[in-house]
Amino acid sequence: MPNDAPAADRVSFVTIDEGRHGQRLDNFLFTHLKGVPKSRIYRIIRSGEVRVNKGRAKQTTRLATGDVVRIPPIRTSESDAPPKVSDGLTERLSRACVYEDANLFIFNKPAGLAVHGGSGVSLGLIEALRVIYPQERELELVHRLDRDTSGLIMVARRRSFLRKLQRLMQSGKVEKRYWLICQGFKGNERTMEAPLLKMQNGNERIVRVSREGKPSVTHFRMIERLRDAQLVEALLETGRTHQIRVHSQFGGFPLLGDDKYGTVKGAALLEQIGRRRLCLHARSLTFPHPDTGKPISVTAPLDEDFDAILAALRKKKD
């Protein structure tokens, strides 16, 4: 291929720097090929068009400093212009920042906002933040939240710091507590230890309790009994997809507003109140700062809808 060919028509080779060390191949390509659909990226990985050190690689391959990634010709015209972020979302996210230091942002994510684009979502939290903070060249999600879950999510400002936080999470030193509104919770405390398996049902991803699943543990504690529901705290011991939602369903106390794992009874109660949302909120994060060891503890206020649902259920109790 002539050297003056457009970049989209040339094979490119990218050498992984220290900041990308440990990153999954698919996540590296999502960032490097902004605007290219995820389905297309997975396709070029599966077909072997993407190579790491001249060899085929899986989407889960962890890259190391000095690795050379071969990227086939692929057009990224969608990424030439950054996605548009409305003034309303910009203001909302600016107000949603509840912690900031030189290496880390923590946001109180609104319910209904996906953490990243894809699967029919053109703009997620991370894409919006990269537009709002153009000077931040290395913003990366530290972990995930379901689209309909509100609350705390960490965003690393440096890739090297991202790895430190992920190691902290893997060692169980990041405490995540959630608040949820459910129906059917008995007693004051319960621990659900049930393996979870991700499954595909057509285009929908669902999670089920299964012996073939990954070990999963959630500790539940009653906060407040309401007339037709309960306000409960969940402490995660593991962090599987939909873990709290599926463990609550399996334990007989499904969440209000859960379109996948909830009940008709719960949906009817929310309709009666006149609010509609998944009643799950990432309430607090506690962890030692990876650089200083200083304890960091952050709490996210409830949003208007969650507060209104609680107020209505308390009123019914009175």
Side-chain angles (χ1 to χ4, degrees):
M1 187 69 65
N3 288 336
D4 59 353
D9 298 326
R10 294 200 307 263
V11 170
S12 62
F13 295 88
V14 179
T15 301
I16 300 302
D17 60 21
E18 187 179 345
R20 293 285 188 186
H21 181 87
Q23 188 173 33
R24 278 175 47 144
L25 177 61
D26 54 357
N27 289 333
F28 163 72
L29 292 172
F30 296 154
T31 304
H32 190 76
L33 299 174
K34 289 188 178 74
V36 176
K38 287 187 176 182
S39 58
R40 176 86 172 100
I41 288 175
Y42 286 131
R43 195 156 59 242
I44 62 175
I45 295 173
R46 285 196 302 268
S47 68
E49 295 174 80
V50 174
R51 300 260 169 165
V52 177
N53 301 329
K54 300 183 179 180
R56 293 179 74 112
K58 297 180 180 179
Q59 65 194 49
T60 55
T61 296
R62 296 282 177 179
L63 300 172
T65 303
D67 283 351
V68 177
V69 181
R70 175 197 186 274
I71 301 174
I74 185 165
R75 295 199 172 273
T76 59
S77 56
E78 295 173 44
S79 66
D80 291 341
K84 294 196 181 301
V85 180
S86 70
D87 291 342
L89 182 57
T90 298
E91 181 185 353
R92 196 172 183 187
L93 290 180
S94 297
R95 286 189 281 108
C97 184
V98 293
Y99 176 87
E100 176 182 352
D101 65 29
N103 292 302
L104 176 67
F105 287 125
I106 303 180
F107 290 90
N108 184 4
K109 184 189 80 67
L113 177 65
V115 293
H116 59 78
S119 303
V121 178
S122 59
L123 182 73
L125 173 71
I126 191 64
E127 291 85 6
L129 292 176
R130 286 169 180 158
V131 174
I132 295 168
Y133 301 103
Q135 74 281 7
E136 301 281 350
R137 302 289 186 182
E138 300 182 43
L139 289 180
E140 297 283 355
L141 294 167
V142 178
H143 55 110
R144 307 293 172 93
L145 281 182
D146 292 343
R147 178 178 182 176
D148 295 325
T149 301
S150 58
L152 295 175
I153 186 159
M154 294 187 283
V155 178
R157 301 174 72 172
R158 306 280 181 273
R159 293 189 190 100
S160 56
F161 195 75
L162 169 70
R163 294 200 305 276
K164 292 178 183 179
L165 278 170
Q166 289 177 333
R167 285 196 293 268
L168 207 62
M169 292 175 67
Q170 289 162 4
S171 63
K173 293 179 180 176
V174 178
E175 180 188 276
K176 297 180 186 176
R177 293 181 183 269
Y178 290 70
W179 279 15
L180 57 107
I181 305 175
C182 61
Q183 290 182 304
F185 189 85
K186 310 293 185 187
N188 291 318
E189 293 184 354
R190 288 190 65 179
T191 291
M192 296 298 302
E193 189 169 354
L196 299 178
L197 179 67
K198 283 195 281 191
M199 305 171 67
Q200 202 69 26
N201 183 16
N203 292 326
E204 184 183 25
R205 181 179 62 178
I206 58 172
V207 178
R208 292 280 183 258
V209 172
S210 168
R211 293 179 189 173
E212 300 170 2
K214 293 181 178 180
S216 308
V217 182
T218 313
H219 305 284
F220 295 94
R221 179 180 67 87
M222 176 72 71
I223 298 175
E224 182 180 355
R225 291 194 181 278
L226 309 160
R227 176 167 174 188
D228 296 313
Q230 301 82 41
L231 176 63
V232 172
E233 179 183 79
L235 171 63
L236 289 181
E237 190 170 311
T238 53
R240 311 299 181 200
T241 300
H242 297 174
Q243 178 173 317
I244 293 173
R245 298 164 64 184
V246 179
H247 275 177
S248 296
Q249 178 203 43
F250 187 69
F253 48 99
L255 273 60
L256 292 185
D258 194 333
D259 291 339
K260 286 193 182 204
Y261 309 107
T263 62
V264 173
K265 179 183 175 184
L269 179 57
L270 283 187
E271 188 173 344
Q272 183 183 346
I273 293 171
R275 300 276 177 166
R276 182 174 180 177
R277 66 151 291 174
L278 173 66
C279 293
L280 182 60
H281 178 71
R283 177 67 170 173
S284 69
L285 283 169
T286 305
F287 57 94
H289 194 284
D291 287 341
T292 66
K294 175 186 174 184
I296 303 294
S297 185
V298 182
T299 300
L302 301 174
D303 62 27
E304 181 184 348
D305 278 337
F306 203 113
D307 256 340
I309 292 167
L310 270 181
L313 292 170
R314 286 168 178 149
K315 189 175 180 181
K316 289 187 70 169
K317 182 180 179 182
D318 296 340

